[in-house]
Amino acid sequence: MSENQILIAPSILAGDFSKLGDESKRMEQAGADAIHIDIMDGHFVKNLTLGPKAVAAINRSTELFLDVHIMVYNPFDYIERLIESGANRITFHFEATEDVEEILEYIRKCNIEAGLAFCPETSPTMVTSFLDKCDLILLMTVHPGFGGQKFLDDMLSKIKLTREMLDTRKIRRGGKVVEENPQSVPPFPIQVDGGIDDQTAKKCIESGANNLVSGTYLFKSPDPRAAIESLRNPL
């Protein structure tokens, strides 16, 4: 990934659940970089959505990277089944467990990427404690649980602070500290999720995000390819 490359991951939560495979393929053909799959248990958030079988079905229909975001308590209970189903990265919530570092290590030992997500109300100081221990930080820009919510502008300062801390500590992709010539290693991924459209994408990118999850904006667009491009290169 180049210094300025912005990756786009359509959230299948906003697609037609009766056609998960077709919807995933449609986004692949429109130029998406990954498919973002939300798993919710009805307890950590007040919604119940897809599970490992849906991940497997999506995996059979697309060659895209499967970016699985689990909004669940007891993340350990889901990891093995999701990996068997084809997950390329599993992102779980800081707020859902007391075993954050142990779970990050376990996911990485399974030879897939480990991401760590944070709800809007969580202090930025908690975010910076894990920058060198995971492969991606997900900053929720809405309160998790339901699609179609309004973007929270207050989160822009958290995005900016996270990018500043990464740059200060010279942490690059993979959580690696690169002392000499850090620009030779791709930047660390800061992902944002919630209320992302061409207007909010611009604000997030300017604040330091480089991995954008978008649901309603992409799946409801009459031209998904143009919509994806408008996120990757907002005016």
Side-chain angles (χ1 to χ4, degrees):
M1 184 172 72
S2 69
E3 186 69 26
N4 298 317
Q5 186 174 358
I6 305 300
L7 300 185
I8 308 300
S11 174
I12 200 71
L13 182 64
D16 184 342
F17 275 25
S18 71
K19 302 176 180 179
L20 290 176
D22 291 343
E23 292 284 67
S24 300
K25 197 67 180 178
R26 182 162 71 98
M27 290 297 141
E28 179 179 2
Q29 292 171 346
D33 299 292
I35 296 295
H36 186 84
I37 307 169
D38 289 311
I39 308 290
M40 307 180 196
D41 63 359
H43 298 286
F44 181 71
V45 294
K46 293 181 180 180
N47 197 3
L48 188 64
T49 57
L50 305 172
K53 288 186 177 180
V55 175
I58 293 168
N59 187 43
R60 291 193 295 269
S61 67
T62 179
E63 297 299 319
L64 288 178
F65 186 96
L66 298 189
D67 177 30
V68 180
H69 175 201
I70 55 175
M71 289 169 265
V72 302
Y73 287 118
N74 304 315
F76 264 126
D77 295 344
Y78 291 77
I79 292 169
E80 288 188 11
R81 286 182 294 159
L82 289 171
I83 291 172
E84 290 172 357
S85 298
N88 298 114
R89 176 169 58 230
I90 297 175
T91 299
F92 66 96
H93 271 265
F94 166 82
E95 302 87 0
T97 179
E98 295 181 356
D99 303 317
V100 173
E101 290 193 35
E102 184 179 356
I103 295 173
L104 289 172
E105 290 175 3
Y106 180 70
I107 294 172
R108 282 175 149 187
K109 284 180 181 178
C110 294
N111 296 315
I112 68 168
E113 292 186 13
L116 188 59
F118 294 85
C119 293
E121 60 271 17
T122 300
S123 169
T125 60
M126 296 295 100
V127 179
T128 56
S129 300
F130 298 95
L131 296 177
D132 60 347
K133 298 177 176 63
C134 59
D135 299 288
L136 171 141
I137 291 292
L138 166 54
L139 299 176
M140 294 298 300
T141 45
V142 298
H143 295 287
F146 295 89
Q149 296 185 63
K150 189 178 187 307
F151 180 85
L152 297 174
D153 281 295
D154 291 348
M155 290 304 299
L156 294 171
S157 61
K158 186 182 288 189
I159 299 168
K160 184 176 181 180
L161 175 61
T162 302
R163 180 58 68 193
E164 288 174 349
M165 291 304 300
L166 286 163
D167 291 344
T168 298
R169 300 181 188 183
K170 299 180 180 180
I171 298 173
R172 307 296 287 182
R173 185 167 182 151
K176 298 176 182 178
V177 177
V178 182
E179 293 289 351
E180 295 185 9
N181 192 21
Q183 304 304 319
S184 64
V185 179
F188 188 96
I190 297 177
Q191 185 176 75
V192 290
D193 181 5
I196 302 300
D197 58 23
D198 56 340
Q199 300 301 310
T200 56
K202 179 177 176 63
K203 295 178 182 179
C204 289
I205 293 169
E206 290 174 346
S207 297
N210 56 357
N211 191 309
L212 310 182
V213 175
S214 181
T216 303
Y217 178 73
L218 294 180
F219 280 96
K220 302 303 181 186
S221 171
D223 186 347
R225 178 172 292 277
I228 287 172
E229 184 59 25
S230 74
L231 297 182
R232 189 174 279 125
N233 295 292
L235 298 176

